[in-house]
Amino acid sequence: MTDSVPDPCVVVAVPARLESARLPGKLLADIAGKPMLQHVLERCRQARGVAAVVVCTDSDQVRAGAAAWGFPVLMTSPSCRSGSERLASVVEQLVAMAGGLSADTLVINVQGDQPLLDPGIIEAMVHQFVALERPPVLTPVYPLAADKLHDPNVVKVLRAGDGRAITFSRSALPHLRGVPPEQWADHTTYWGHVGLYGYRADVLAGWMALPVSPLEDLEKLEQLRLIDAGIPLLTFVVDQDCLSVDTPEQLEQARALAQP
């Protein structure tokens, strides 16, 4: 996705909770002969400019699998409420693995349920981190297709003119007054969220001190805690989403797409 990638201190961290509420055990579900999590980790390892790809989990089963595939593992508490909290709980170890300092290390949070992840998105995030002089948080967005606009399983982003994320929602934003919802996509670009976060490590280290956001609880979207706390999330545009597997139907879709 980028021709050349600068070389800041970068670690990709994959929070891996085995007991997903909507699709338990999905991280180890078979896709084209490999567990889904293994696909994710191997795609992350293809990205240039990354010092380490690390699994952060509370599962001994996930730990054993990741170690067998050749990836380092950090064990975390089962009480972590989100992927970001899981990474924040071990951020000092992640910084050490990147070989940097907290204020200049990029920790990229990759979801463990994106088996078709384009490694170029990680490379683009590294490039943007340098080009924007190490912003607090970066996240990718993509132009949303009209048929996904009102799907609550697809997270939407409302963006300011300078690319900052104003808010995230499972509902379509903005609401177009006086226009039938099925015609909204004809009037403006809607943005979907790819679900990766690039944290400057010192910002991630402050996660535990942030107050829980009522919006975060209502929408079940962890990034709203940052919005409520006034921490800017800068967005950058990529061509398309990377399928996140949250339902049995999406798992079958991933299996079909992963076939050679």
Side-chain angles (χ1 to χ4, degrees):
M1 182 171 293
T2 55
D3 293 331
S4 62
V5 178
D7 191 24
C9 300
V10 182
V11 58
V12 172
V14 181
R17 183 170 67 94
L18 189 57
E19 295 309 317
S20 166
R22 286 186 284 182
L23 192 60
K26 66 179 180 179
L27 295 186
L28 299 181
D30 181 85
I31 296 176
K34 294 180 182 179
M36 177 160 58
L37 180 60
Q38 185 177 358
H39 283 279
V40 175
L41 296 171
E42 290 178 350
R43 283 175 173 264
C44 290
R45 188 157 57 188
Q46 294 171 23
R48 296 169 295 169
V50 172
V53 178
V54 185
V55 178
C56 301
T57 187
D58 59 6
S59 164
D60 287 333
Q61 189 175 359
V62 170
R63 176 195 56 75
W69 308 326
F71 293 91
V73 179
L74 293 175
M75 297 302 292
T76 60
S77 169
S79 65
C80 293
R81 297 180 41 157
S82 68
S84 293
E85 182 173 320
R86 194 172 301 280
L87 302 192
S89 70
V90 292
V91 66
E92 291 184 4
Q93 294 99 307
L94 292 171
V95 170
M97 289 180 170
L101 300 173
S102 186
D104 62 10
T105 295
L106 175 64
V107 179
I108 300 180
N109 179 346
V110 173
Q111 308 301 318
D113 59 5
Q114 295 180 311
L116 304 177
L117 173 69
D118 178 1
I121 295 178
I122 295 174
E123 295 178 1
M125 184 175 285
V126 176
H127 178 81
Q128 291 291 324
F129 183 67
V130 173
L132 297 172
E133 299 182 351
R134 292 165 169 74
V137 189
L138 281 166
T139 197
V141 299
Y142 65 98
L144 193 60
D147 63 345
K148 301 293 186 182
L149 190 54
H150 300 288
D151 182 348
N153 291 314
V154 177
V155 178
K156 294 86 177 176
V157 189
L158 185 63
R159 303 171 75 216
D162 62 1
R164 285 178 300 108
I166 297 172
T167 193
F168 297 77
S169 180
R170 298 186 184 277
S171 300
L173 295 172
H175 177 95
L176 300 192
R177 180 178 175 182
V179 178
E182 63 272 16
Q183 298 177 14
W184 286 3
D186 297 333
H187 293 264
T188 189
T189 300
Y190 285 83
W191 299 99
H193 184 223
V194 178
L196 278 69
Y197 306 98
Y199 287 103
R200 201 175 67 218
D202 60 329
V203 175
L204 181 61
W207 181 273
M208 301 299 193
L210 299 178
V212 176
S213 161
L215 290 176
E216 174 191 8
D217 280 344
L218 290 170
E219 291 263 20
K220 306 306 180 189
L221 297 174
E222 65 195 80
Q223 62 269 43
L224 290 172
R225 183 179 298 202
L226 299 165
I227 297 285
D228 257 7
I231 296 173
L233 280 77
L234 303 188
T235 68
F236 64 96
V237 177
V238 296
D239 294 336
Q240 60 185 355
D241 188 21
C242 298
L243 175 67
S244 295
V245 176
D246 290 316
T247 66
E249 294 75 19
Q250 289 169 334
L251 178 57
E252 291 308 314
Q253 183 182 358
R255 284 169 170 161
L257 292 171
Q259 292 301 321

